[in-house]
Amino acid sequence: MPRILPGETDIYALTDSRLSLGRPVAEVARALLDAGVRLIQYREKRLPAGAMLEECRALRRMTREAGACFIVNDHVDIAMLVDADGVHVGQDDLPVPEVRRLVGPERIIGLSTHSPEQARAALAAGADYIGVGPIFATQTKEDVVAPVGFAYLDWVGEHMRLPFVAIGGIKAWNAADVAAHGADCCALVSALVGAEDIGAAVAEVREAIRAGKAARGC
């Protein structure tokens, strides 16, 4: 079971069939994996559970063959049924300790956070990593909270020992700034799955992250 956390890799890709230019999720995932992405989250909000299960089974096979880490958003049951490497939950989903009771000690649990208080609580609850954001305004998620900007990202980089991924409105043109503010890993949705050439988009984002890390002396 690949255990790859944010910071151990630079790009965390999330699926979204609404933004994938009509391409099946498996086709998008294949392009991401071929481009060297090693951390993929399945995040689909409007499909029936059975359809999500089948898509996750396909992605689980693909990511396992590629040595990549596969995370399922929200659906702990589906994550367990397909033997995913982990699950990502939000503030309004099942609490991390309860998720841990279900998935056991080996699977990764990620938790979205939007404030220092939530980050501290995630650490205390036993999350393996946190999402930090949304850094910028984003349209890829419904009921999203207001952007947190760089202030919260700076705080996490200075005060938290948990691995973290910056998320929310991150594109190739602003990824360097996000990395310069302490993010070793950036989560992206539309900038990758909505690109005509996914491989080229991954390369562009990866170079931007590298430049941002260099700017802060990493």
Side-chain angles (χ1 to χ4, degrees), residues 44-210:
E44 300 291 340
K45 297 293 188 180
R46 299 186 178 183
L47 292 180
M52 288 193 288
L53 177 61
E54 290 307 308
E55 289 189 339
C56 283
R57 281 178 172 151
L59 266 61
R60 170 70 289 186
R61 290 192 294 270
M62 295 167 61
T63 51
R64 182 172 281 134
E65 290 169 359
C69 186
F70 181 49
I71 306 292
V72 174
N73 181 262
D74 290 350
H75 297 277
V76 179
D77 51 352
I78 292 177
M80 296 175 69
L81 285 169
V82 304
D83 195 26
D85 301 303
V87 62
H88 186 95
V89 293
Q91 291 292 317
D92 296 326
D93 296 320
L94 289 174
V96 169
E98 302 305 318
V99 175
R100 181 64 71 197
R101 289 179 60 192
L102 293 171
V103 305
E106 299 301 320
R107 283 193 176 90
I108 297 166
I109 300 177
L111 177 65
S112 298
T113 68
H114 319 297
S115 69
E117 294 75 21
Q118 291 178 354
R120 293 191 188 98
L123 177 63
D128 294 294
Y129 76 88
I130 57 173
V132 175
I135 306 300
F136 308 108
T138 176
Q139 303 300 318
T140 63
K141 188 176 181 182
E142 297 177 0
D143 301 321
V144 69
V145 302
V148 299
F150 289 134
Y152 176 43
L153 179 61
D154 291 338
W155 184 92
V156 169
E158 183 176 349
H159 294 93
M160 293 298 294
R161 68 175 188 268
L162 266 182
F164 66 92
V165 57
I167 188 169
I170 300 174
K171 315 289 184 184
W173 61 267
N174 60 24
D177 288 337
V178 177
H181 280 268
D184 291 332
C185 183
C186 293
L188 302 99
V189 189
S190 60
L192 299 183
V193 306
E196 291 281 356
D197 186 335
I198 290 175
V202 169
E204 187 177 6
V205 171
R206 182 159 278 148
E207 178 57 33
I209 293 172
R210 189 178 298 118

